[in-house]
């Protein structure tokens, strides 16, 4: 596979649907059939975009992240061993891509905007954003695995059993991660709130 061969998302319009299982399409892709990966994109693009939108809360950013997720999946596909479903693996790749972008935005000091008010910055306070938005803003500061489970549970409303299956970890491990993630997230939220009060006082 070369970089030039990577199919662009969502340039799959007009491709015929196939009933081949994901794993068959994965193996065909590994053997150089780019069209097989395009079939995977066609099959999973709506789910990947939906997940990216949950993270980014912006259609354009979600589309960018969805395309980046498919590009990353294409590059990493040779390392996919089939220990979990391809959709599960792709879901994890999408989470990773979105969390990385949110972390970059945090480091650059970019602030999310309130939907419907493109010129109004959202302050990290309960008066100006709901709990889900506050979690989304702070979650990028968590370690990646903690950020993933928190996002899946609180923002995507995925059950514990589904998250454990998705991430290929025991339920007990997930509960431990969630406990630690909540503790760290609580501290991060408090820091964000304190920073907001300091800025307002200044």
């Amino acid at each position: 596979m070369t970089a030039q061969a990577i199919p662009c998302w969502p340039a799959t319009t007009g491709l015929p649907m196939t009933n081949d299982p994901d794993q068959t399409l994965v193996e065909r892709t590994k053997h150089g059939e780019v069209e097989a990966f395009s079939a995977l994109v066609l099959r999973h693009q709506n789910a990947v975009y939906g997940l990216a939108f949950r993270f980014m809360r912006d259609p354009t950013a979600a589309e960018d992240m969805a395309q980046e997720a498919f590009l990353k999946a294409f590059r990493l596909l040779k390392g996919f061993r089939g220990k979990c479903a391809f959709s599960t693996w792709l879901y994890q790749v999408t989470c990773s891509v979105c969390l990385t972008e949110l972390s970059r935005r945090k480091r650059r000091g970019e602030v999310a905007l309130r939907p419907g008010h493109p010129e109004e910055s959202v302050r990290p306070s309960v008066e100006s954003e709901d709990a889900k938005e506050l979690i989304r803003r702070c979650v990028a500061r968590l370690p990646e695995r903690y950020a993933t489970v928190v996002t899946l549970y609180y923002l995507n409303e995925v059950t514990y059993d589904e998250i454990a299956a998705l991430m290929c970890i025991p339920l007990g491990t997930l509960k431990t991660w969630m406990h630690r993630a909540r503790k760290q997230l609580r501290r991060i939220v408090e820091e964000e709130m304190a920073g907001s009060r300091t800025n307002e006082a200044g």
Side-chain angles (χ1 to χ4, degrees):
M1 300 177 193
T2 63
Q4 291 76 16
I6 297 175
C8 291
W9 184 91
T12 54
T13 304
L15 285 177
M17 293 293 291
T18 175
N19 294 323
D20 289 348
D22 283 354
Q23 190 57 40
T24 298
L25 294 173
V26 167
E27 293 304 319
R28 286 170 53 189
T29 303
K30 289 182 178 181
H31 286 87
E33 295 185 39
V34 177
E35 295 79 6
F37 190 77
S38 294
L40 288 168
V41 173
L42 182 62
R43 181 175 294 171
H44 296 287
Q45 60 183 4
N46 288 339
V48 167
Y49 173 83
L51 175 59
F53 185 80
R54 291 278 192 170
F55 278 95
M56 309 310 298
R57 310 301 297 178
D58 174 79
T60 300
E63 184 172 327
D64 289 343
M65 291 301 98
Q67 178 166 329
E68 180 60 30
F70 280 118
L71 295 176
K72 184 174 181 179
F74 188 85
R75 292 193 297 267
L76 299 179
L77 195 62
K78 62 184 178 180
F80 175 63
R81 304 303 180 193
K83 294 182 178 179
C84 60
F86 171 76
S87 57
T88 296
W89 179 78
L90 181 60
Y91 209 77
Q92 293 179 29
V93 171
T94 305
C95 287
S96 175
V97 166
C98 292
L99 288 168
T100 297
E101 176 61 20
L102 289 173
S103 294
R104 288 173 182 160
R105 293 185 179 196
K106 180 68 178 180
R107 289 195 298 270
R108 291 195 298 260
E110 297 181 12
V111 180
L113 298 178
R114 182 192 305 276
H117 301 274
E119 297 180 359
E120 181 180 358
S121 296
V122 176
R123 295 179 179 180
S125 66
V126 294
E127 289 82 8
S128 61
E129 66 181 350
D130 62 22
K132 284 189 176 183
E133 285 299 312
L134 184 58
I135 291 174
R136 189 181 66 83
R137 282 172 53 85
C138 296
V139 74
R141 294 177 57 184
L142 290 169
E144 183 173 317
R145 63 184 180 183
Y146 294 166
T148 299
V149 298
V150 166
T151 299
L152 291 174
Y153 185 74
Y154 286 105
L155 301 186
N156 291 3
E157 300 180 357
V158 181
T159 67
Y160 270 27
D161 288 339
E162 290 171 331
I163 296 172
L166 181 66
M167 301 190 69
C168 303
I169 58 174
L171 186 59
T173 299
L174 172 61
K175 290 180 178 179
T176 298
W177 288 7
M178 284 294 295
H179 176 72
R180 294 173 179 172
R182 288 193 187 102
K183 289 181 64 176
Q184 292 191 30
L185 186 61
R186 186 179 301 112
R187 174 179 54 79
I188 291 169
V189 170
E190 289 172 354
E191 290 175 358
E192 289 278 341
M193 300 284 284
S196 176
R197 287 192 293 268
T198 298
N199 292 335
E200 291 175 354

